[in-house]
Amino acid sequence: MDVASLSPSPSAGVPVALWAIADVERETGIGKDTLRVWERRYGFPVPRRDERGDRLYDADQLGRLRLIRRLLDAGHRPGRVVGLPREALEALAVSAVGQGSVVLKRSPDDDGVLSGPGVDELAPWMAWLRHDQTLRLREALRESVRVRGLAQTVEAVVAPLCVAVGHAWLRGEIAVYQEHLFTEAVQATLREAIARTDETNPAGPRPPRVLLTTAAGEQHQLGLLMAECFLALEGCDRLPLGVCTPVAEIIDASARTGADVVALSYSDYASRRDVIDTVVQLREGLAAPVELWIGGAGAARDPRRLPPGVVVLRRAADAAAQARLWRQRRGLA
C-alpha cells in the first residue's frame, strides 16, 4: 500500500498517514466518483485537503470504506451502510465473514468428524493468495479433491478458507481483486470436480431433477455451487440457473424443465420479509409435487413463518441427504 503523504496529527503533532483518492479507489475498489457522491449525500467519507485542494483520507476512513465495500458486495445498499459508525460496520461485516449461501457447520447432534486445515495449515494457502499465486492455489485445491474427495474438500477446506479470506480482507491483508481471484479459483475447481463426477457416473443423472438458483437481488453463488457438489455426488440431475432469477422465471423454468425440486439460497443479508415473501410466492406458484428447498443463514432465520413443506438446508451436505430422502419416499433408493 502506498501512503500518499504524512500529515501531523491535530492533537499530538504525530505524523498521520494519508491516502489520495486514487489510492483509496485502488485499495477498496470504490470509484472516485462514488466517493465524491457519498461525501455529498451521506456525509462520509470526510477527507482532508492538501494545499492544492485534493482529497486525502486517513487510515480510519480507509478502514471504514473497506468494510463498506464488503457489505455492498454482500448485498447491502449504500444508503443503509455508508453513514454507519465503524462499530456498526464491523458488527455487520463479522456476520458476513466466510458466509456462503449454504451454512457449512456441523449440526450439534452430528457425530461426524471433519478433518481439515487448522490456522497454521491455512498459512500457505493465504500466502499464495497474497502473492497472487492463483495457479498454485488452484493446484492445491485440485490436489485436495484428489486426496480428500470432493465432499471433504468442500466442507473441510473450502469452508474454512472462505472464513480466512474474509478475515484477511477485513484486516486489509488482501485486496478486493485477490478476494475475487480466490472466488474464481474455488468456482473453477469445484466445477471441474463436478464435471469429473458426472463423467464417472455410468448410470447418468437420476431423479430428483433439482433447479438451483437465487431470488432476485441475491448475489451469492458459492453456496449454491457447494450444494451442487453434493447433489452431483448423489448422481442427481441438476439445472443450475445462476443467481438473481425473478420468481416468475423460476416458476416458469420449473414447469418447462420438469424440475422435481427448486433449491434456493439466502445470505444473512436477505431480510426476513424478502425471504418469506419469495418463498410464499414460489410455493403458491410451483406445482404441488415440486419440492422447495432453501438454504443459507437467511433461510434459517425464521423457519416458523415458512409455508408447510418447505425444507431448510442447514449445510451444503444436507442437499445430498434430502435427495436420498426424496428417492426413498418414491421407492427409488
Side-chain angles (χ1 to χ4, degrees), residues 129-198:
L129 185 59
R130 283 193 296 270
H131 293 92
D132 299 327
Q133 295 178 315
T134 311
L135 290 179
R136 182 68 187 90
L137 180 66
R138 190 175 297 187
E139 290 169 359
L141 287 169
R142 287 171 175 164
E143 179 66 9
S144 177
V145 173
R146 188 186 70 81
V147 174
R148 297 171 183 265
L150 180 54
Q152 279 290 301
T153 296
V154 168
E155 289 206 293
V157 178
V158 173
L161 273 176
C162 287
V163 175
V165 168
H167 279 298
W169 192 92
L170 287 176
R171 292 192 298 264
E173 296 172 1
I174 62 172
V176 172
Y177 81 88
Q178 291 170 318
E179 184 185 32
H180 292 177
L181 286 174
F182 167 77
T183 300
E184 289 300 317
V186 171
Q187 289 180 340
T189 303
L190 295 186
R191 288 193 178 103
E192 290 173 1
I194 287 173
R196 286 195 299 271
T197 300
D198 289 341

Side-chain angles (χ1 to χ4, degrees), residues 34 77 87 111 127 226 278:
T34 299
R77 296 177 182 175
E87 294 76 12
D111 294 330
M226 293 179 184
T278 302

